[in-house]
Amino acid sequence: MDFNGGSGGGGGGGNELHNNQFYQCEESKPLLGEMSEGNNNTKLGAGPCKRSLHHCSSSGMRYKLLHEGDIQVCVVKHPRTFLSKILTSKFLRRWEPHHLTLTDSSLTSATPTGYMEASLSYSSIEDLQLLSWDNAPKYCVQLSFPGGTVLLQAANSYLRDQWFHSLQWKKKIYKYRKVLNNPSRWDVVLKEIRALVDMALTSPLQDESIHQAPLHIISTLLAENSNLSTQDHENIIVAIAPLLENNHPPPDLCEFFCKHCRERPRSMVVIEVFTPVVQRILKHNMDFGKCPRLRLFTQEYILALNELNGGMEVVKKFVHSMHGPTGQCPHPRVLPNLVAVCLAAIYSCYEEFINSRDNSPSLKEIRNGCQQQNDRKPPMPLRLLRPEPPTPPPATLLPLSAAPSPAQPPPSNPPNPAAAPSIPISSPTPSLPLSPPPSVVNSSEILVELERNNNSANAKRKGGPAGGDSEPNLIDCLLVSPAVNTLSIQLPAQADRVLGCFALILKMLSDFDDWRPALASLLQPIPFPKEALAHAKFTKELKYVIQRFAEDPRQEVHSCLLSVRSGKDGWFQLYSPGGVACDDDGELFASMVHILMGSCYKTKKFLLSLAENKLGPCMLLALRGNQTMVEILCLMLEYNIIENKDTQLQIISTLESTQVGLRMYEQLCDRQRELKELQRKGGPTRLTLPSKSTDADLARLLSSGSFGNLENLSLAFTNVTSACAEQLIKLPSLKQLNLWSTQFGDAGLRLLSEHLACLQVLNLCETPVTDAGLLALSSMKSLCSLNMNSTKLTADTYEDLKAKLPNLKDVDVRYTEAW
């Protein structure tokens, strides 16, 4: 039954011929054409796309779909043959005002009295037309039903046409819903679907439901008839393709599309029809949480691309098409949506195990089998984290320096010390005995290899002097070498392919310079399951992404290597030696430290964090000649980060064991002698540098004598920069500093705030400092006068500084946002 007359049949016939041509040449077509949205000129989508554009361009007036409204109603009950006489007579029937609602099945009044006492079903309306002749009532719509006529009179011609098109839409969509609810012949059903699509495309109504209602009808039809042949499925997908150009598919239709992607990934429907749909989803979707099936459909589509002959090359081409040919992606939602799809897909690979790892009886049995009950304190849930390293055989260690090492508690059952080998300081990394064979856990087709815990190693690492002031030493670092910490997860083949596919997509995303800052921010909280981070293949692919972050000179990128908040591990910790994701000897860790030290992180806080948590890896890499780690150790000594004397001597011995370390340590000693001379009491109390002086001039001046008494230094109107902060922090008595109209910036302020705690007066007028640097001043509690005139200070930062600097009395914020 064709409710649209000839237009529906004509549209369907054209598509039928098109489909025949499509299926005849399906196997001979290339598997992926141009993926960019601007070139969606593929053969399958060309017909529907052109038809849609034609209808939009040839339309006249546009109307909003009415759901309710006020209108005058008159009902004339008579044989239809006398209608013309009644309408042309001068006698007017009685009109009643009603507030009518257009429901899905009938026309209903809010006041069911008079003419509209009973609802008027759309199925009872035989004809619907406008009354436009001279003697007819003005602005009327005629609804013919068996035994009479309903006249609806609007206030003007626009409202009349709006009521007419809305009633016509409701009546037709009601009939299509009934016809497609009980299909008999699928050739007729396909014709009706094409007519329905034509009706939606040609309707002058503008409303989201105009395209969504047909899609919901078709998705319900597909859900209730799951036994359709593949050919029927693809015919229906081709028929509804024009509706998907500007609309997201509803959830049920997404599920149908997912099934098609899984069952026929090489179908040209996937390439030709689904590609623009997925492109639109990635460009315009705002929240996958509201419609998770859109995300699942996108995920299955990408996996279908990966099944083509080109494999990941096809996926790479698709990702490049989403970014666009320019250096800047014009669609801000593409990257967050792609990352959301990747994260969800990666999580799904481990979802079954994550949901069952603490409740599965087999896991509990394995847990009890791997450990004796009296050895577990307390019982810990099974987690795929890197276990404690095995205990090496006890040894008599030679000291790393002339001073003795901190005392270590003896093991519970010490063997004969004379038989144990020693580790000389000049020897390379000692080889440790391998641990016992790992246990294999089989749960829900996921194989997990776990090493047996060794509590004696744990006790040895945690043992130390009662005062708790011992520092990690070089031997502790050797114990956490990744060579003796093996933990891997073996996934089923399909899950492994999914994991590899989306891990590679993250690699592709990190190659785009404009996407890298946002990608680093999205991945900073480490949004992956712990099981994925223990998977060697995944961490290897992810390592490339972290390496790209570490190589990026932009601070907003490499700063995301650090943890998102205090107390939580970041990528910096995970890829450091001994970290759960580290699979090398510390090369990536050294690269991360190098970029962070080269940025604004050359501060006491960063060095303290390294000394507390990563001193062992730093010493080990310095022992192997890594220049960045040698510099780190020298800075720790220079800034007095390490308080333990034995650890200081250990660091000195480590520096002296390599040529580069010895050279840098000798330079450090020279700087320390100069510093002692500089800080020796004497010299002027006030000093003013001439205008146009540079950082080099300041350094040369301060190296010429003693400035231990210098309290007031003026660098106003000079050419000094943040680099001169390295010299300023050597002045122990400095209380007043004038930096007016210099190029001193945020990095210098951060360094001053950590070393010049006694500074009382600071003039930053007309300097390029911003909130990022000014916030660091909150730690300088002695400040009583602060000039921030003509800087980029904001009101929020000003309020924060006033709250955190109790002694601040004199403040100048003129010509700033806080003024």
Side-chain angles (χ1 to χ4, degrees):
M1 185 173 182
D2 186 1
F3 296 113
N4 261 359
S7 63
N15 273 343
E16 187 173 2
L17 177 60
H18 171 72
N19 290 341
N20 293 335
Q21 297 173 347
F22 163 68
Y23 287 113
Q24 289 172 2
C25 61
E26 175 179 346
E27 299 301 328
S28 61
K29 283 187 178 182
L31 290 178
L32 187 65
E34 290 297 322
M35 302 295 290
S36 62
E37 188 181 23
N39 296 323
N40 284 337
N41 54 358
T42 53
K43 295 183 180 179
L44 184 63
C49 182
K50 290 180 180 178
R51 178 177 60 181
S52 174
L53 294 174
H54 171 74
H55 291 323
C56 293
S57 62
S58 62
S59 60
M61 293 290 292
R62 292 289 178 179
Y63 308 93
K64 181 175 177 59
L65 177 64
L66 279 175
H67 298 283
E68 58 181 342
D70 296 319
I71 199 166
Q72 298 289 326
V73 180
C74 179
V75 176
V76 181
K77 295 184 179 181
H78 58 82
R80 295 182 62 185
T81 54
F82 300 104
L83 176 60
S84 58
K85 293 182 180 180
I86 294 174
L87 293 176
T88 54
S89 66
K90 296 181 180 180
F91 177 77
L92 296 178
R93 295 279 182 175
R94 179 171 57 91
W95 294 86
E96 294 178 355
H98 282 273
H99 185 84
L100 300 184
T101 301
L102 285 73
T103 67
D104 290 339
S105 58
S106 62
L107 186 63
T108 307
S109 175
T111 55
T113 58
Y115 292 144
M116 298 301 297
E117 182 176 1
S119 299
L120 181 62
S121 173
Y122 298 138
S123 60
S124 65
I125 299 177
E126 298 177 344
D127 192 19
L128 179 66
Q129 60 183 4
L130 299 173
L131 298 185
S132 57
W133 50 86
D134 295 338
N135 293 330
K138 294 187 67 176
Y139 314 131
C140 274
V141 179
Q142 171 190 323
L143 284 70
S144 301
F145 65 95
T149 299
V150 176
L151 299 179
L152 305 179
Q153 188 174 38
N156 52 57
S157 61
Y158 183 85
L159 284 177
R160 176 201 63 192
D161 294 345
Q162 189 178 14
W163 274 96
F164 171 74
H165 290 297
S166 298
L167 284 167
Q168 190 178 52
W169 169 261
K170 290 284 187 178
K171 176 177 180 293
K172 290 186 176 183
I173 206 71
Y174 172 75
K175 290 187 177 181
Y176 277 116
R177 189 176 287 112
K178 286 188 65 177
V179 169
L180 296 178
N181 191 38
N182 296 304
S184 55
R185 294 174 49 195
W186 282 102
D187 55 342
V188 176
V189 168
L190 186 59
K191 183 178 179 182
E192 296 300 336
I193 290 175
R194 290 170 179 151
L196 174 61
V197 171
D198 265 341
M199 183 190 74
L201 294 174
T202 56
S203 174
L205 296 173
Q206 286 185 328
D207 192 86
E208 183 181 358
S209 62
I210 298 301
H211 287 172
Q212 287 297 325
L215 291 175
H216 279 288
I217 292 174
I218 296 169
S219 64
T220 303
L221 171 69
L222 295 172
E224 294 176 353
N225 298 272
S226 57
N227 57 346
L228 287 176
S229 66
T230 303
Q231 187 73 21
D232 289 332
H233 279 173
E234 297 192 346
N235 285 336
I236 293 175
I237 293 173
V238 172
I240 64 175
L243 292 180
L244 298 173
E245 291 176 12
N246 298 308
N247 298 274
H248 291 337
D252 290 341
L253 203 56
C254 285
E255 190 172 338
F256 171 72
F257 289 170
C258 290
K259 180 181 177 183
H260 192 85
C261 288
R262 287 190 295 266
E263 294 179 353
R264 294 205 64 193
R266 290 177 170 269
S267 167
M268 288 304 296
V269 167
V270 174
I271 307 303
E272 304 282 356
V273 178
F274 291 169
T275 295
V277 178
V278 173
Q279 286 177 332
R280 187 181 189 280
I281 291 173
L282 292 175
K283 290 177 180 179
H284 301 290
N285 175 69
M286 299 302 295
D287 185 6
F288 277 129
K290 295 181 179 178
C291 190
R293 293 186 185 179
L294 284 178
R295 175 195 54 75
L296 187 60
F297 168 47
T298 306
Q299 175 182 327
E300 294 292 345
Y301 167 79
I302 293 175
L303 291 175
L305 294 185
N306 193 31
E307 293 294 325
L308 301 179
N309 290 341
M312 286 307 299
E313 286 299 320
V314 183
V315 177
K316 183 177 181 180
K317 190 174 183 180
F318 172 74
V319 172
H320 278 267
S321 74
M322 294 307 306
H323 179 274
T326 61
Q328 190 76 22
C329 178
H331 303 284
R333 291 300 308 168
V334 169
L335 177 67
N337 286 333
L338 275 174
V339 173
V341 171
C342 291
L343 296 181
I346 292 169
Y347 183 88
S348 68
C349 297
Y350 302 92
E351 186 173 11
E352 184 179 357
F353 178 78
I354 293 171
N355 293 338
S356 64
R357 61 185 170 187
D358 294 327
N359 301 319
S360 170
S362 61
L363 290 181
K364 293 179 180 178
E365 293 172 2
I366 292 297
R367 191 181 310 163
N368 295 333
C370 291
Q371 294 177 322
Q372 297 298 325
Q373 185 66 30
N374 56 359
D375 291 336
R376 292 184 295 146
K377 48 177 188 178
M380 298 296 292
L382 181 61
R383 291 290 184 267
L384 295 181
L385 294 176
R386 197 176 299 279
E388 295 295 336
T391 307
T396 302
L397 306 179
L398 292 179
L400 295 180
S401 65
S405 301
Q408 297 289 339
S412 57
N413 297 313
N416 183 12
S422 62
I423 303 176
I425 189 164
S426 60
S427 65
T429 305
S431 59
L432 298 178
L434 297 177
S435 60
S439 304
V440 179
V441 180
N442 192 335
S443 174
S444 303
E445 298 184 350
I446 299 181
L447 301 178
V448 184
E449 296 181 9
L450 297 174
E451 288 185 341
R452 294 184 175 90
N453 289 339
N454 196 319
N455 291 329
S456 60
N458 192 23
K460 178 174 177 65
R461 290 185 65 197
K462 294 184 178 179
D469 58 347
S470 63
E471 298 284 345
N473 55 42
L474 183 59
I475 304 305
D476 291 331
C477 179
L478 297 178
L479 292 178
V480 295
S481 173
V484 296
N485 284 278
T486 57
L487 187 150
S488 60
I489 297 177
Q490 183 178 352
L491 294 175
Q494 177 59 26
D496 196 60
R497 285 194 295 271
V498 173
L499 184 68
C501 174
F502 288 97
L504 284 171
I505 290 178
L506 291 177
K507 285 180 60 176
M508 297 174 195
L509 299 180
S510 68
D511 287 331
F512 293 96
D513 290 339
D514 60 316
W515 275 353
R516 204 174 298 131
L519 179 63
S521 178
L522 290 170
L523 297 185
Q524 186 180 13
I526 313 182
F528 302 103
K530 297 175 182 178
E531 291 78 4
L533 297 175
H535 194 280
K537 180 179 178 181
F538 176 71
T539 52
K540 181 179 179 182
E541 301 294 349
L542 199 59
K543 182 179 178 180
Y544 176 87
V545 180
I546 305 306
Q547 185 71 47
R548 295 308 303 266
F549 295 164
E551 294 170 353
D552 198 300
R554 291 171 291 184
Q555 181 186 342
E556 64 268 26
V557 178
H558 59 248
S559 63
C560 293
L561 295 171
L562 301 175
S563 58
V564 69
R565 64 177 180 272
S566 178
K568 180 178 174 61
D569 284 348
W571 295 114
F572 183 74
Q573 287 78 21
L574 263 64
Y575 277 95
S576 62
V580 67
C582 182
D583 61 350
D584 56 19
D585 290 329
E587 290 83 359
L588 178 56
F589 173 70
S591 177
M592 291 190 288
V593 172
H594 177 76
I595 190 68
L596 291 173
M597 288 298 295
S599 181
C600 59
Y601 291 94
K602 196 174 184 179
T603 61
K604 270 189 175 181
K605 184 178 180 181
F606 183 63
L607 292 173
L608 279 169
S609 175
L610 286 178
E612 291 174 1
N613 304 306
K614 299 298 176 185
L615 182 57
C618 290
M619 292 175 65
L620 178 61
L621 292 171
L623 188 63
R624 294 172 178 172
N626 186 280
Q627 187 168 347
T628 300
M629 294 306 165
V630 170
E631 181 184 355
I632 290 289
L633 295 183
C634 289
L635 286 172
M636 287 181 181
L637 295 176
E638 185 174 1
Y639 292 164
N640 294 321
I641 300 296
I642 307 297
E643 297 179 359
N644 186 281
K645 296 300 182 183
D646 292 324
T647 307
Q648 289 180 5
L649 292 173
Q650 210 172 315
I651 291 176
I652 293 172
S653 299
T654 303
L655 292 173
E656 292 176 341
S657 63
T658 62
Q659 198 170 22
V660 62
L662 180 61
R663 185 180 71 254
M664 296 187 72
Y665 178 64
E666 290 175 349
Q667 294 172 358
L668 171 62
C669 293
D670 293 339
R671 291 198 303 271
Q672 291 294 329
R673 283 191 291 269
E674 294 173 359
L675 179 62
K676 287 182 179 180
E677 176 64 24
L678 170 67
Q679 295 179 347
R680 187 168 57 85
K681 290 299 181 181
T685 58
R686 300 174 62 90
L687 181 64
T688 300
L689 255 68
S691 61
K692 309 303 180 183
S693 298
T694 63
D695 296 330
D697 297 328
L698 176 63
R700 192 178 302 110
L701 176 64
L702 294 181
S703 64
S704 64
S706 300
F707 292 90
N709 292 338
L710 186 62
E711 296 182 355
N712 189 322
L713 176 62
S714 176
L715 302 176
F717 304 104
T718 63
N719 293 333
V720 297
T721 66
S722 294
C724 76
E726 296 280 354
Q727 306 298 324
L728 298 178
I729 62 177
K730 299 175 183 178
L731 302 172
S733 303
L734 191 63
K735 295 180 180 178
Q736 301 180 29
L737 179 60
N738 187 352
L739 296 168
W740 187 3
S741 190
T742 63
Q743 294 303 309
F744 198 86
D746 294 336
L749 276 186
R750 277 189 283 265
L751 199 56
L752 293 183
S753 66
E754 291 189 336
H755 295 269
L756 298 181
C758 297
L759 196 65
Q760 298 176 359
V761 179
L762 180 60
N763 188 346
L764 298 171
C765 179
E766 297 181 6
T767 57
V769 295
T770 66
D771 285 348
L774 292 170
L775 282 172
L777 299 179
S778 59
S779 63
M780 305 177 73
K781 304 300 181 182
S782 299
L783 271 180
C784 56
S785 176
L786 181 59
N787 188 339
M788 297 176 285
N789 188 319
S790 304
T791 63
K792 297 179 181 179
L793 173 73
T794 63
D796 291 341
T797 300
Y798 177 51
E799 295 298 326
D800 187 71
L801 288 175
K802 287 196 301 181
K804 293 181 179 179
L805 296 176
N807 297 323
L808 196 59
K809 301 289 191 299
D810 183 17
V811 185
D812 187 351
V813 294
R814 291 174 296 170
Y815 307 106
T816 67
E817 182 185 309
W819 188 27

